[in-house]
Amino acid sequence: MSAARLPGAHRPVALVTGPTSGIGQAYALRLAALGYDLVLVARDQARLATLAHDVEVRFGARAQVLPADLALAADRDRVAARLGEGVQFLVNNAGFDLSGEFWTLAPDALQAQLDVNVTTVVQLTRAAVPSMVHAADGTVVNLASMAGLIPGRGSTYSASKAYVVSFSQGLAGGLAGTGVRVQALCPGFVRTEFHERAGIDMGSLPRPLWLTVDEVVAGSLADLEKNRVISVPGAQYKAIAAVAGLIPRSLVTRLNRGLFNARGRT
Ligand SMILES: NC(=O)c1ccc[n+]([C@@H]2O[C@H](COP(=O)([O-])OP(=O)(O)OC[C@H]3O[C@@H](n4cnc5c(N)ncnc54)[C@H](OP(=O)(O)O)[C@@H]3O)[C@@H](O)[C@H]2O)c1
């Protein structure tokens, strides 16, 4: 099995899901700047084409556009097939939250969230890792969240990110010594289209709690260098994660009922 370059190209290849905005776009641009060619996977074809053009002009990177709705099995299969040809870097970034109560949301919407946030991460990682192990080189970054480390605000979203954390940690253990790195990237609140798409009002969030997409990507890359499997970008969130790890789970549940508003988020 070879790690396939793009046709006629020699640079290593990174596949990024959800590069049409937010963290995925920043990660794709950074990887292009670092010398990768790109395979870009999302639904918005116009934005994919603009980004592909942008990285070619700015960084001389080749970019292959692979339009796909990752909630659909047939589309996931096409992306998995491309990964099976070999890439050196996979960023499982596409994901979304939903507003509204769990018991009022359409079952189809809940299933789509599970398929994009969890099934896609497992399927694409499974497709990408064999050629990485064969090459004794490769990196998988899975977008989790602080919500995956501290449960309770929202149900299915937090649970999906907890899956990604646990999956990445377990897989990293299994891959020890193979030369393949796996990371669960766990940002706090990041300024992207994420909350607007979900219909979540973030107007009252204190400014120091907002991260920029560039801070998140820089934190992820720095933690890869240090071989950290759980990456929490930003000093403020490192502190929150450390304290949260000391609080018993039963108390977290009570705090969520009392102190924080856990209603209206799924
Ligand atoms: N923003 C935050 O505060 C925050 C915090 C922690 C973790 N995260 C996680 O970070 C990741 C990126 O989020 P973001 O904040 O950058 O959000 P964003 O700006 O809304 O970007 C989401 C990306 O995912 C893609 N996507 C969504 N559904 C898709 C589908 N069905 N098929 C293919 N692509 C799909 C979107 O592309 P198309 O619309 O073009 O398909 C878009 O490129 C997510 O996994 C999110 O859970 C975000």
Side-chain angles (χ1 to χ4, degrees):
M1 199 180 307
S2 69
R5 306 292 199 250
L6 295 196
H10 303 286
R11 292 158 53 120
V13 178
L15 186 145
V16 183
T17 68
T20 49
S21 71
I23 298 165
Q25 185 170 75
Y27 225 123
L29 289 168
R30 188 83 187 97
L31 289 173
L34 288 172
Y36 284 83
D37 282 339
L38 300 175
V39 183
L40 303 170
V41 178
R43 293 166 300 182
D44 189 325
Q45 299 200 31
R47 282 174 139 190
L48 286 171
T50 303
L51 178 62
H53 181 258
D54 198 21
V55 296
E56 292 191 20
V57 170
R58 286 174 62 186
F59 307 112
R62 305 275 294 267
Q64 179 187 347
V65 164
L66 198 50
D69 181 344
L70 295 167
L72 304 178
D75 285 15
R76 283 196 301 277
D77 289 347
R78 280 193 297 110
V79 180
R82 173 60 189 87
L83 288 165
E85 294 169 19
V87 302
Q88 284 73 30
F89 206 119
L90 167 63
V91 186
N92 272 314
N93 162 79
F96 65 94
D97 199 355
L98 296 163
S99 57
E101 305 293 3
F102 171 75
W103 59 93
T104 64
L105 282 165
D108 285 355
L110 296 171
Q111 187 62 52
Q113 186 191 48
L114 192 57
D115 287 340
V116 175
N117 291 12
V118 175
T119 309
T120 298
V121 174
V122 176
Q123 185 177 354
L124 299 193
T125 303
R126 173 65 184 83
V129 163
S131 67
M132 293 181 178
V133 170
H134 187 260
D137 184 29
T139 303
V140 178
V141 172
N142 293 325
L143 255 295
S145 169
M146 286 289 288
L149 299 175
I150 308 172
R153 291 196 76 205
S155 54
T156 55
Y157 180 76
S158 285
S160 74
K161 296 304 183 181
Y163 186 107
V164 173
V165 171
S166 190
F167 166 65
S168 305
Q169 274 186 303
L171 182 61
L175 285 168
T178 62
V180 181
R181 302 177 294 185
V182 180
Q183 181 185 87
L185 176 52
C186 301
F189 297 105
V190 193
R191 281 195 198 281
T192 67
E193 297 176 10
F194 178 86
H195 299 99
E196 194 186 328
R197 285 183 197 236
I200 298 172
D201 179 12
M202 296 300 294
S204 60
L205 189 77
R207 192 180 283 226
L209 288 183
W210 282 113
L211 295 168
T212 66
V213 290
D214 290 330
E215 285 173 317
V216 173
V217 174
S220 168
L221 291 171
D223 283 336
L224 281 173
E225 289 305 311
K226 294 174 194 147
N227 270 321
R228 281 201 188 131
V229 176
I230 306 283
S231 175
V232 178
Q236 67 279 55
Y237 285 106
K238 283 184 176 57
I240 292 170
V243 171
L246 302 174
I247 302 175
R249 216 148 157 138
S250 55
L251 183 56
V252 172
T253 309
R254 264 189 284 150
L255 285 173
N256 274 319
R257 281 206 206 110
L259 271 182
F260 306 116
N261 174 24
R263 295 295 299 262
R265 311 171 68 113
T266 302

